[in-house]
Amino acid sequence: MQRRWVGSPDYRAVIDVLRAARLAKNLSQREVARRLGKPVSFLNKIELIERRIDVLEFVVLCRALELDPHHMLDALIKVIPDPPDF
């Protein structure tokens, strides 16, 4: 059973932005997982909204995707309503 806050629309927006960035760079989950030093299942669970990421993981994931965490956070701020639904 998925917890509401894990699968909330606003959290889903976070993962959608990260996944879209990965796809835009034509990176496979396998390649990103290799860069992170994690199994593919780690990234797969994140993208399937089965695992929530914390701020440190967000920064590390952005770097693995060769993205500026500041710019990614700015993009997320634009799509997450105030107050968020979690």
Side-chain angles (χ1 to χ4, degrees):
M1 176 173 34
Q2 193 176 62
R3 293 181 185 114
R4 183 176 177 269
W5 57 268
V6 173
S8 75
D10 296 334
Y11 182 71
R12 194 169 295 274
V14 171
I15 301 307
D16 288 347
V17 167
L18 290 171
R19 183 174 184 274
R22 177 180 67 76
L23 293 173
K25 291 189 171 275
N26 206 25
L27 294 171
S28 67
Q29 284 186 347
R30 184 176 309 281
E31 173 58 21
V32 176
R34 185 194 65 75
R35 292 177 183 190
L36 293 170
K38 298 283 188 182
V40 176
S41 62
F42 175 81
L43 188 58
N44 189 41
K45 286 181 180 189
I46 290 170
E47 289 190 3
L48 290 174
I49 319 290
E50 293 177 1
R51 183 187 187 287
R52 196 168 172 102
I53 61 173
D54 64 24
V55 68
L56 177 60
E57 290 169 328
F58 174 80
V59 170
V60 172
L61 187 54
C62 285
R63 289 178 179 164
L65 293 169
E66 300 172 350
L67 301 168
D68 180 342
H70 296 98
H71 291 146
M72 291 303 293
L73 190 55
D74 286 343
L76 290 171
I77 289 168
K78 291 176 184 173
V79 298
I80 297 172
D82 188 21
D85 176 27
F86 65 94

